[in-house]
Structure formats: structure tokens, C-alpha cells
Amino acid sequence: MTSGDMYERFAHEYAAHAEDGAYNAYYDRPSVLGLAGDVAGLTVFDAACGPGLYARELLDRGARVLGCDASPTFVELARERTGGRADLRVHDLTEPLTWVEDGTADLVVLALAVHYFDDRVALLRELRRVLTPSGALVLSTEHPMATWLRLGGSYFTTEPVEESLSPRYDWPIRAWRRPLTVTVAEFREAGFYMDELLEPRPVPEMATRYPDDHARLEQSPDFIAFRLRPLP
């Protein structure tokens, strides 16, 4: 089952939630976009674009955006949200991006999606292919310590886990838990080196909108983000 198959069941609910949700609007999006930096004039590939929340912001910051998601509903919502300004397509990232030429993108964004893939190295290699030699991949995922604190067992376990995306909703997903050592080894195997690692802090606005979430995330991170560069 692909992430698109999983999300298709609750795509509209998730899109409405993520627009202003604590962990999306006030935590992951600011951290990912911060690592992306100044994107004006750049070509950005939004991999697993979801309902288009990152794509819209990238466009507003002056980027040319193309991207994909395996969920047809997400792609439809993303096209609506971006007003036809982006080239967004239905595509399962377990398959090669045959419609994207080598060295097309100055930046690839992969937000909160890599943990759904069984063959993460193959995915990352394909994203490296579409990057320019001087480009970057900005990626976010669950923090391995947060996963361990929630699931227990050994921190060093690498295995797929079936659970709800949020304890507040019936949103079943299947995602991989793995220690940081495995994640970083996969980056290198795929041909990347780590340019920057970020354990995000919530933006100050979350304290007013979601005070409990803000207090928790100020104590312990839920996500981790990376800016990766292609190895020479």
C-alpha cells in the first residue's frame, strides 16, 4: 500500500486539518521552508505534495513548482490550492519519475513522507537524479526518539508499524520506525551528504493557538528535518 492509498481514505479531512494544524502549520512547514531558504527563481520539485500546502508557499516565495502525489484527491486539492500555477501530477514515488528529466530541480522537498516507503534508498536516488549537481533535498520525518517514546521496545528497531496518523483521528497508516543511524546511512547510500540537521522548535504563534502542543514540543521534538546535498 502506498502513502497515496493510505491518505486517499481521509484526504479531505487531513487537508482541512493540516491547513492550520499545530504540527503542520506551526511546526513542520516552518522548519522545512526555513531549510529551503530563498527559493525565488528556483525550480522546486515537491515530492509527495499532499494537498499543496508547501507548494502554495513555495510559489508565493517566487519558485517554479512541479510535484506529485500518489493520492488523486490530494493532487486535485493541490491544484485548486495553487490555482494552476504548479505542474502537479498523480504519481506513485515507488515508480521512477519518467516525466522529470535529469537535473531539473534546484531543490526537492519531501515533507513527512519518506517513512512510508519500503525502499527509501531507491526513492532518494531517484530524487537525487532530478536534482542539479548543486541542488539540495530538504526532507522531514518523524524523530526516531519520539517514535521510540511512543511505541517502546528497542530504540534500534527497524520495522514497519501500523497505527493511526494521529491519536485523535481514525487515520490508519503504515510507516517505518528506524534509528537515526539507519536514516543517515540511507542518505549516504543514496548519494547524499548531510548539509544541515534540524530538530525543530515550534513557532511562537503555536503558544497562543495550541498551548499544550507548544509546551510539549518545547520539551521534546516530534519531527526531524535535514538539508541534504548530492555527493560529488
Side-chain angles (χ1 to χ4, degrees):
M1 178 182 290
T2 68
S3 59
D5 293 328
M6 289 187 287
Y7 275 84
E8 189 68 11
R9 169 183 159 180
F10 51 88
H12 285 283
E13 295 173 68
Y14 176 81
H17 165 81
E19 178 80 47
D20 188 52
Y23 290 83
N24 299 94
Y26 299 93
Y27 190 52
D28 189 67
R29 283 207 302 279
S31 62
V32 167
L33 293 167
L35 285 177
D38 183 4
V39 297
L42 301 185
T43 296
V44 181
F45 187 84
D46 187 359
C49 68
L53 295 162
Y54 298 80
R56 180 182 61 190
E57 186 66 32
L58 291 163
L59 287 163
D60 290 346
R61 297 182 182 198
R64 172 180 174 265
V65 176
L66 60 158
C68 66
D69 200 280
S71 163
T73 301
F74 270 169
V75 173
E76 180 184 357
L77 292 170
R79 287 170 176 166
E80 292 173 0
R81 183 168 272 111
T82 56
R85 294 182 291 157
D87 179 3
L88 302 173
R89 309 189 187 191
V90 178
H91 180 86
D92 184 344
L93 284 167
T94 60
E95 301 294 331
L97 290 160
T98 54
W99 49 283
V100 184
E101 296 183 2
D102 294 4
T104 294
D106 302 296
L107 176 73
V108 172
V109 170
L110 181 64
L112 299 179
V114 70
H115 41 273
Y116 296 126
F117 291 85
D118 292 342
D119 194 342
R120 294 173 295 283
V121 171
L123 166 65
L124 294 170
R125 282 176 176 160
E126 183 66 356
L127 297 179
R128 183 178 183 274
R129 179 189 66 79
V130 307
L131 271 175
T132 63
S134 60
L137 166 61
V138 172
L139 174 156
S140 62
T141 187
E142 264 205 310
H143 198 295
M145 187 63 69
T147 308
W148 173 65
L149 290 171
R150 185 177 72 254
L151 298 175
S154 169
Y155 167 83
F156 297 102
T157 298
T158 300
E159 66 180 6
V161 176
E162 295 184 3
E163 56 181 337
S164 178
L165 181 65
S166 166
R168 304 171 188 173
Y169 305 97
D170 179 24
W171 292 348
I173 55 125
R174 175 185 178 274
W176 282 80
R177 65 179 295 185
R178 65 255 189 254
L180 187 59
T181 300
V182 169
T183 295
V184 174
E186 289 172 349
F187 294 160
R188 185 167 185 85
E189 187 178 350
F192 287 99
Y193 71 91
M194 194 188 313
D195 186 43
E196 188 171 349
L197 180 153
L198 174 66
E199 292 174 303
R201 305 284 288 274
V203 296
E205 293 83 356
M206 189 198 283
T208 301
R209 185 79 173 80
Y210 301 100
D212 292 344
D213 292 307
H214 182 272
R216 196 175 75 79
L217 291 170
E218 279 292 331
Q219 295 297 315
S220 178
D222 260 23
F223 300 157
I224 190 168
F226 306 88
R227 183 179 176 94
L228 308 177
R229 296 278 192 178
L231 285 165

